[in-house]
């Protein structure tokens, strides 16, 4: 079991920025695929950014050019830098991790999840 703890959510106005962080309670995430998911109000949870164990990253079209996923192996932390936020980015953001592969495409069934952090973007 890997417990993930997200932080950094909050309320911002349109075009604002936030940085989310995700840390495991007790484990090192080297070798894991990791991702950020968004569950918007009334919608299903979906991945917005994924990073493989080698640092390769991919994004859903709606956040390309605005969001950046990164990982710091020294601090053992996953980040999501969110710039130029829009009201449609509002929702609960979840961190996910999976040790089973070095490459995790969209649609991957991640094994470990955090509890989520709320992001609200006002217009």
């Amino acid at each position: 079991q890997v417990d993930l703890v997200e932080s950094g959510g909050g309320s911002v106005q349109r075009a604002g920025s936030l940085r989310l962080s995700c840390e495991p309670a007790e484990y090192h995430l080297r070798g894991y695929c990791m991702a950020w998911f968004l569950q918007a109000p009334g919608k299903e949870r979906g991945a917005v950014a994924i990073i493989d164990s080698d640092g390769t990253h991919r994004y859903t079209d709606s956040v390309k050019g605005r969001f950046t996923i990164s990982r710091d192996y020294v601090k053992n932390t996953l980040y999501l830098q969110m710039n130029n936020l829009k009201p449609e980015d509002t929702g609960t953001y979840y961190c996910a991790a999976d040790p089973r592969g070095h490459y995790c495409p969209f649609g991957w069934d991640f094994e470990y999840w955090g509890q989520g952090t709320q992001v609200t973007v006002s217009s």
Side-chain angles (χ1 to χ4, degrees):
Q1 179 66 34
V2 174
D3 293 323
L4 302 170
V5 180
E6 302 99 334
S7 61
S11 296
V12 295
Q13 291 190 331
R14 177 192 290 272
S17 297
L18 285 173
R19 188 176 77 159
L20 306 183
S21 299
C22 171
E23 298 180 64
E26 296 178 13
Y27 205 81
H28 201 286
L29 295 170
R30 190 177 298 276
Y32 283 60
C33 291
M34 301 196 71
W36 288 99
F37 283 70
L38 165 64
Q39 185 161 23
K43 296 185 178 180
E44 293 187 356
R45 187 167 58 185
V48 296
I50 299 172
I51 188 166
D52 298 332
S53 58
D54 68 353
T56 303
H57 44 84
R58 58 194 65 86
Y59 303 90
T60 193
D61 287 346
S62 62
V63 307
K64 283 180 181 176
R66 300 188 299 120
F67 290 12
T68 302
I69 188 171
S70 62
R71 60 199 305 171
D72 185 325
Y73 282 123
V74 174
K75 296 182 178 179
N76 199 30
T77 301
L78 176 74
Y79 300 102
L80 184 68
Q81 178 66 43
M82 304 186 295
N83 298 327
N84 191 22
L85 282 160
K86 303 176 180 180
E88 51 264 44
D89 298 322
T90 293
T92 303
Y93 284 78
Y94 296 89
C95 170
D98 197 293
R100 295 173 292 170
H102 299 293
Y103 167 70
C104 295
F106 281 98
W108 188 263
D109 185 14
F110 282 82
E111 188 165 344
Y112 302 121
W113 294 86
Q115 295 300 308
T117 185
Q118 178 67 32
V119 171
T120 303
V121 185
S122 57
S123 57

